[in-house]
Short mmCIF file of all heavy atoms in Angstrom, two decimals:
data_model
loop_
_atom_site.label_atom_id
_atom_site.label_comp_id
_atom_site.label_asym_id
_atom_site.label_seq_id
_atom_site.Cartn_x
_atom_site.Cartn_y
_atom_site.Cartn_z
N ARG A 26 0.41 -66.95 44.35
CA ARG A 26 -0.92 -66.74 44.92
C ARG A 26 -1.39 -65.30 44.73
O ARG A 26 -2.58 -65.06 44.51
CB ARG A 26 -0.90 -67.07 46.42
CG ARG A 26 -0.72 -68.54 46.75
CD ARG A 26 -2.01 -69.32 46.56
NE ARG A 26 -3.05 -68.86 47.45
CZ ARG A 26 -3.21 -69.29 48.70
NH1 ARG A 26 -2.39 -70.21 49.19
NH2 ARG A 26 -4.20 -68.83 49.46
N ALA A 47 10.86 -57.93 46.93
CA ALA A 47 10.16 -58.03 48.22
C ALA A 47 10.63 -56.89 49.10
O ALA A 47 11.81 -56.82 49.46
CB ALA A 47 10.46 -59.38 48.89
N GLY A 49 11.23 -54.01 48.16
CA GLY A 49 12.24 -53.29 47.41
C GLY A 49 13.57 -53.99 47.30
O GLY A 49 14.52 -53.43 46.74
N VAL A 94 -14.00 -65.58 22.75
CA VAL A 94 -14.89 -66.35 23.61
C VAL A 94 -15.10 -67.71 22.96
O VAL A 94 -15.36 -67.80 21.76
CB VAL A 94 -16.24 -65.63 23.80
CG1 VAL A 94 -17.14 -66.43 24.74
CG2 VAL A 94 -16.02 -64.22 24.34
N LEU A 95 -14.97 -68.76 23.75
CA LEU A 95 -15.03 -70.11 23.18
C LEU A 95 -15.80 -71.06 24.09
O LEU A 95 -16.03 -70.77 25.27
CB LEU A 95 -13.62 -70.64 22.95
CG LEU A 95 -12.72 -70.76 24.19
CD1 LEU A 95 -12.70 -72.18 24.72
CD2 LEU A 95 -11.31 -70.28 23.90
N GLY A 100 -12.27 -82.43 29.07
CA GLY A 100 -11.06 -83.17 28.73
C GLY A 100 -9.92 -82.31 28.23
O GLY A 100 -8.79 -82.81 28.09
N ALA A 107 3.02 -79.88 34.35
CA ALA A 107 3.59 -81.22 34.46
C ALA A 107 2.52 -82.26 34.12
O ALA A 107 1.43 -82.24 34.67
CB ALA A 107 4.10 -81.45 35.88
N LEU A 114 -5.38 -75.80 25.94
CA LEU A 114 -6.08 -74.65 25.37
C LEU A 114 -5.10 -73.53 25.04
O LEU A 114 -5.24 -72.87 24.00
CB LEU A 114 -7.15 -74.16 26.35
CG LEU A 114 -7.93 -72.91 25.92
CD1 LEU A 114 -8.62 -73.12 24.57
CD2 LEU A 114 -8.94 -72.51 26.99
N ASN A 116 -1.97 -73.79 24.14
CA ASN A 116 -1.29 -74.15 22.89
C ASN A 116 -2.19 -73.87 21.68
O ASN A 116 -1.73 -73.39 20.65
CB ASN A 116 -0.91 -75.64 22.90
CG ASN A 116 0.08 -76.00 23.98
OD1 ASN A 116 -0.25 -76.74 24.90
ND2 ASN A 116 1.29 -75.47 23.89
N ALA A 117 -3.48 -74.15 21.84
CA ALA A 117 -4.42 -73.90 20.75
C ALA A 117 -4.59 -72.40 20.50
O ALA A 117 -4.65 -71.96 19.34
CB ALA A 117 -5.77 -74.54 21.08
N GLN A 127 2.57 -63.65 24.15
CA GLN A 127 3.20 -62.62 24.96
C GLN A 127 2.38 -62.25 26.20
O GLN A 127 2.89 -61.61 27.11
CB GLN A 127 3.43 -61.36 24.13
CG GLN A 127 4.44 -61.52 23.00
CD GLN A 127 4.71 -60.21 22.30
OE1 GLN A 127 3.87 -59.31 22.30
NE2 GLN A 127 5.88 -60.09 21.70
N ARG A 130 -0.28 -65.81 30.96
CA ARG A 130 -0.99 -67.09 30.83
C ARG A 130 -1.64 -67.27 29.46
O ARG A 130 -2.71 -67.86 29.33
CB ARG A 130 -2.02 -67.24 31.96
CG ARG A 130 -1.37 -67.29 33.34
CD ARG A 130 -2.34 -67.69 34.41
NE ARG A 130 -1.67 -67.81 35.71
CZ ARG A 130 -1.06 -68.90 36.15
NH1 ARG A 130 -1.01 -69.97 35.39
NH2 ARG A 130 -0.49 -68.92 37.34
N GLY A 131 -0.99 -66.74 28.46
CA GLY A 131 -1.48 -66.92 27.10
C GLY A 131 -2.81 -66.26 26.83
O GLY A 131 -3.53 -66.65 25.90
N GLY A 143 -17.65 -75.77 28.80
CA GLY A 143 -18.42 -74.54 28.74
C GLY A 143 -17.67 -73.31 28.31
O GLY A 143 -16.54 -73.35 27.81
N THR A 150 -5.15 -58.83 23.84
CA THR A 150 -4.21 -57.73 24.03
C THR A 150 -3.95 -57.56 25.52
O THR A 150 -4.75 -58.00 26.35
CB THR A 150 -4.75 -56.40 23.47
OG1 THR A 150 -5.87 -55.99 24.27
CG2 THR A 150 -5.19 -56.55 22.01
N ARG A 168 -20.97 -65.35 35.97
CA ARG A 168 -20.71 -66.71 35.52
C ARG A 168 -21.80 -67.64 36.05
O ARG A 168 -22.02 -67.69 37.26
CB ARG A 168 -19.34 -67.17 36.00
CG ARG A 168 -18.17 -66.46 35.33
CD ARG A 168 -16.86 -66.75 36.00
NE ARG A 168 -16.75 -66.08 37.30
CZ ARG A 168 -15.74 -66.26 38.14
NH1 ARG A 168 -14.77 -67.10 37.83
NH2 ARG A 168 -15.69 -65.62 39.28
N TYR A 211 -26.63 -71.00 44.64
CA TYR A 211 -27.20 -72.08 43.84
C TYR A 211 -28.71 -72.14 44.05
O TYR A 211 -29.24 -71.77 45.10
CB TYR A 211 -26.57 -73.43 44.18
CG TYR A 211 -26.85 -73.92 45.58
CD1 TYR A 211 -27.87 -74.85 45.83
CD2 TYR A 211 -26.10 -73.47 46.66
CE1 TYR A 211 -28.13 -75.30 47.11
CE2 TYR A 211 -26.35 -73.92 47.95
CZ TYR A 211 -27.37 -74.83 48.16
OH TYR A 211 -27.63 -75.27 49.44
N ALA A 214 -32.92 -76.29 39.74
CA ALA A 214 -33.51 -76.19 38.41
C ALA A 214 -34.47 -77.35 38.16
O ALA A 214 -35.57 -77.17 37.65
CB ALA A 214 -32.43 -76.17 37.33
N HIS A 220 -31.38 -87.22 42.81
CA HIS A 220 -30.40 -86.28 42.27
C HIS A 220 -31.07 -84.92 42.07
O HIS A 220 -32.29 -84.81 42.09
CB HIS A 220 -29.84 -86.78 40.94
CG HIS A 220 -29.10 -88.07 41.04
ND1 HIS A 220 -29.76 -89.30 41.04
CD2 HIS A 220 -27.78 -88.35 41.16
CE1 HIS A 220 -28.86 -90.26 41.16
NE2 HIS A 220 -27.66 -89.71 41.23
N THR A 224 -28.62 -74.70 39.22
CA THR A 224 -28.00 -73.56 38.53
C THR A 224 -27.14 -72.83 39.54
O THR A 224 -27.60 -72.52 40.64
CB THR A 224 -29.07 -72.62 37.95
OG1 THR A 224 -29.86 -73.34 37.00
CG2 THR A 224 -28.43 -71.42 37.27
N HIS A 233 -11.64 -75.27 42.01
CA HIS A 233 -12.62 -76.33 42.31
C HIS A 233 -13.78 -75.82 43.17
O HIS A 233 -14.41 -76.62 43.88
CB HIS A 233 -11.95 -77.51 43.04
CG HIS A 233 -10.84 -78.16 42.28
ND1 HIS A 233 -10.02 -79.13 42.83
CD2 HIS A 233 -10.39 -77.98 41.00
CE1 HIS A 233 -9.14 -79.52 41.93
NE2 HIS A 233 -9.34 -78.83 40.82
N ALA A 240 -19.80 -80.50 47.70
CA ALA A 240 -19.42 -81.66 48.51
C ALA A 240 -19.47 -81.32 50.00
O ALA A 240 -19.85 -82.16 50.83
CB ALA A 240 -18.02 -82.15 48.11
N GLY A 248 -20.18 -87.98 39.18
CA GLY A 248 -18.97 -88.26 38.40
C GLY A 248 -17.72 -87.58 38.87
O GLY A 248 -16.68 -87.71 38.23
N TYR A 252 -14.03 -85.35 44.67
CA TYR A 252 -14.86 -84.93 45.79
C TYR A 252 -16.18 -85.70 45.90
O TYR A 252 -16.90 -85.53 46.88
CB TYR A 252 -15.18 -83.43 45.67
CG TYR A 252 -13.94 -82.57 45.55
CD1 TYR A 252 -13.51 -82.08 44.32
CD2 TYR A 252 -13.16 -82.27 46.67
CE1 TYR A 252 -12.37 -81.31 44.21
CE2 TYR A 252 -12.02 -81.50 46.56
CZ TYR A 252 -11.62 -81.03 45.32
OH TYR A 252 -10.48 -80.26 45.21
N PRO A 256 -19.38 -93.97 42.87
CA PRO A 256 -20.75 -93.74 42.37
C PRO A 256 -21.79 -94.29 43.35
O PRO A 256 -21.64 -95.40 43.87
CB PRO A 256 -20.77 -94.51 41.04
CG PRO A 256 -19.33 -94.58 40.62
CD PRO A 256 -18.54 -94.67 41.88
N ARG A 257 -22.80 -93.49 43.63
CA ARG A 257 -23.86 -93.91 44.53
C ARG A 257 -25.06 -94.33 43.70
O ARG A 257 -25.65 -93.52 43.00
CB ARG A 257 -24.23 -92.76 45.49
CG ARG A 257 -23.04 -92.23 46.28
CD ARG A 257 -23.48 -91.13 47.24
NE ARG A 257 -22.35 -90.32 47.68
CZ ARG A 257 -22.46 -89.25 48.48
NH1 ARG A 257 -23.66 -88.88 48.89
NH2 ARG A 257 -21.39 -88.57 48.84
N HIS A 279 -21.01 -77.76 33.88
CA HIS A 279 -20.90 -77.07 32.60
C HIS A 279 -21.09 -75.57 32.81
O HIS A 279 -22.06 -75.14 33.44
CB HIS A 279 -21.97 -77.60 31.63
CG HIS A 279 -22.02 -76.89 30.31
ND1 HIS A 279 -21.07 -77.06 29.34
CD2 HIS A 279 -22.95 -76.00 29.81
CE1 HIS A 279 -21.39 -76.31 28.28
NE2 HIS A 279 -22.51 -75.66 28.54
N GLU A 292 -19.39 -52.24 26.16
CA GLU A 292 -20.70 -52.85 25.91
C GLU A 292 -20.90 -54.08 26.80
O GLU A 292 -19.98 -54.90 26.97
CB GLU A 292 -20.80 -53.27 24.45
CG GLU A 292 -22.08 -54.02 24.09
CD GLU A 292 -22.05 -54.59 22.70
OE1 GLU A 292 -21.04 -54.38 21.98
OE2 GLU A 292 -23.04 -55.26 22.32
N PRO A 301 -23.57 -79.99 26.85
CA PRO A 301 -22.96 -81.00 25.97
C PRO A 301 -23.76 -82.29 26.00
O PRO A 301 -24.59 -82.52 26.88
CB PRO A 301 -21.56 -81.18 26.58
CG PRO A 301 -21.73 -80.81 28.02
CD PRO A 301 -22.76 -79.73 28.04
#
Side-chain angles (χ1 to χ4, degrees):
R26 291 283 297 274
V94 182
L95 60 98
L114 177 57
N116 297 114
Q127 294 185 335
R130 297 191 176 274
T150 67
R168 291 169 288 174
Y211 66 97
H220 297 83
T224 299
H233 301 172
Y252 305 100
R257 304 182 198 177
H279 175 73
E292 175 189 358

